[in-house]
Amino acid sequence: MIFEQDSTIFKILDVLYFEQKDVKTTITKRSYDALSFHYEADAVVNSKNKEITYTDNAICYFPSEVSYTKNAKKDKMIVIHFKVFNYRCDNIEYLHPDDFEKYAKLFKKIFDIWNAKLPSYKYECAAILSNIFAELYKDNKNLNEDKKSKISESIQYIKSNYLKKDFSLQTAAKKSFISESYFRKIFSEEFGMSPKKYVIEHRIKYAISLIKEEHLSLQEISQMCGYDDYKHFSSEFKKIMNVAPSKYTYKF
């Protein structure tokens, strides 16, 4: 898995931006690798006998020579095409990082620099991609530590689904085959907070990133963060940030 390497030799071929909606795409053994950050996504990828589902703020690695089919209701992404010379993989990999904002900024930065094509842009982009690989390596090590936990499957479920409206802690507990009360106990011991608080904080963190983009209404943002009721979203936002979402941009 490329996220487990602490040294990667590569050559960048291109950096692209895509917005897809209601598409079914088949990729057949392309000659280069791809690393993508998905700002908004609801997609399923099938390769061989493996199926993965990724949502908003996922990072995906698609190796060269691997065929797959993607069904996406939506997919807004920046993708880096490159050749890697010291790694070979036959499986598509993905990660839903906790600190997704740092990756969103890095992918946006490499896209802007690559497409501006100012002097030395390839060196600058290579440095940024190296930084992305370094951060992925560190974050994946933390994820592997999660997998040693009794509730590793539940933790992964939360990280992949906390923005969905049908998300539930009961379902999270079932992923580890334990009761919800026991799951809450173990989670609180490992994370220093309740799973409910963890989910709320990550939802609000994502909401802030959307507010900063300044092209969505607060009602739309609340929906994208898993809330049916805007008043509920506003109340939880205020508890975390000590200011209503409608006043956040003015204060900060």
Side-chain angles (χ1 to χ4, degrees):
M1 184 172 178
I2 200 167
F3 305 151
E4 294 177 347
Q5 287 202 187
D6 62 356
S7 179
T8 304
I9 301 170
F10 60 86
K11 177 183 178 181
I12 300 176
L13 304 176
D14 210 350
V15 183
L16 305 164
Y17 173 81
F18 293 104
E19 280 194 43
Q20 299 175 328
K21 187 175 181 181
D22 297 323
V23 298
K24 182 175 182 180
T25 305
T26 299
I27 303 297
T28 304
K29 293 187 176 182
R30 52 188 183 192
S31 61
Y32 52 85
D33 301 75
L35 186 71
S36 50
F37 183 88
H38 302 264
Y39 293 84
E40 298 175 18
D42 184 0
V44 178
V45 171
N46 287 281
S47 175
K48 299 179 182 177
N49 297 320
K50 184 177 181 180
E51 178 178 288
I52 67 169
T53 300
Y54 61 85
T55 53
D56 295 0
N57 307 309
I59 296 174
C60 298
Y61 169 61
F62 297 88
S64 62
E65 304 300 325
V66 173
S67 300
Y68 63 91
T69 299
K70 182 179 80 170
N71 288 282
K73 294 180 180 178
K74 61 177 181 178
D75 204 353
K76 177 181 175 182
M77 61 179 163
I78 289 176
V79 58
I80 304 167
H81 291 163
F82 62 101
K83 284 185 176 291
V84 63
F85 301 104
N86 63 334
Y87 180 75
R88 183 73 187 96
C89 178
D90 295 322
N91 296 310
I92 296 167
E93 306 292 350
Y94 74 106
L95 188 69
H96 284 88
D98 282 342
D99 190 1
F100 59 84
E101 283 191 299
K102 70 179 176 184
Y103 291 107
K105 292 176 182 177
L106 287 169
F107 273 79
K108 179 64 165 57
K109 186 176 181 180
I110 196 171
F111 173 80
D112 289 342
I113 293 174
W114 182 269
N115 287 281
K117 291 184 168 44
L118 298 175
S120 78
Y121 76 98
K122 290 186 178 180
Y123 288 109
E124 291 185 62
C125 289
I128 296 169
L129 184 53
S130 291
N131 190 8
I132 291 171
F133 285 140
E135 293 298 327
L136 286 170
Y137 175 71
K138 289 187 288 186
D139 285 348
N140 190 62
K141 287 194 70 175
N142 293 334
L143 182 61
N144 285 338
E145 290 174 1
D146 289 343
K147 290 180 180 177
K148 298 175 184 177
S149 164
K150 294 179 181 179
I151 57 171
S152 60
E153 294 298 322
S154 299
I155 293 169
Q156 187 57 42
Y157 168 80
I158 290 174
K159 290 180 176 180
S160 300
N161 296 277
Y162 71 92
L163 293 173
K164 294 183 178 180
K165 292 179 182 178
D166 61 354
F167 169 83
S168 74
L169 292 177
Q170 184 180 36
T171 302
K174 287 180 179 179
K175 295 293 181 180
S176 296
F177 304 100
I178 57 177
S179 68
E180 187 175 345
S181 59
Y182 187 45
F183 165 69
R184 291 176 187 270
K185 179 178 182 294
I186 297 176
F187 189 99
S188 296
E189 290 174 351
E190 294 190 7
F191 286 83
M193 68 176 73
S194 69
K196 181 179 179 180
K197 184 178 180 182
Y198 179 93
V199 170
I200 292 172
E201 287 191 354
H202 280 70
R203 283 181 168 183
I204 299 308
K205 187 175 182 181
Y206 181 49
I208 290 170
S209 71
L210 295 177
I211 290 171
K212 289 178 179 178
E213 292 184 12
E214 299 182 335
H215 69 270
L216 295 168
S217 70
L218 292 175
Q219 184 69 44
E220 289 174 321
I221 290 172
S222 68
Q223 295 281 326
M224 292 173 67
C225 292
Y227 296 95
D228 281 320
D229 182 7
Y230 174 76
K231 290 183 178 179
H232 184 204
F233 163 72
S234 181
S235 175
E236 293 195 338
F237 189 103
K238 193 170 183 178
K239 286 178 184 177
I240 299 295
M241 300 305 299
N242 296 316
V243 64
S246 60
K247 296 181 180 179
Y248 177 82
T249 52
Y250 295 105
K251 186 172 181 179
F252 295 95

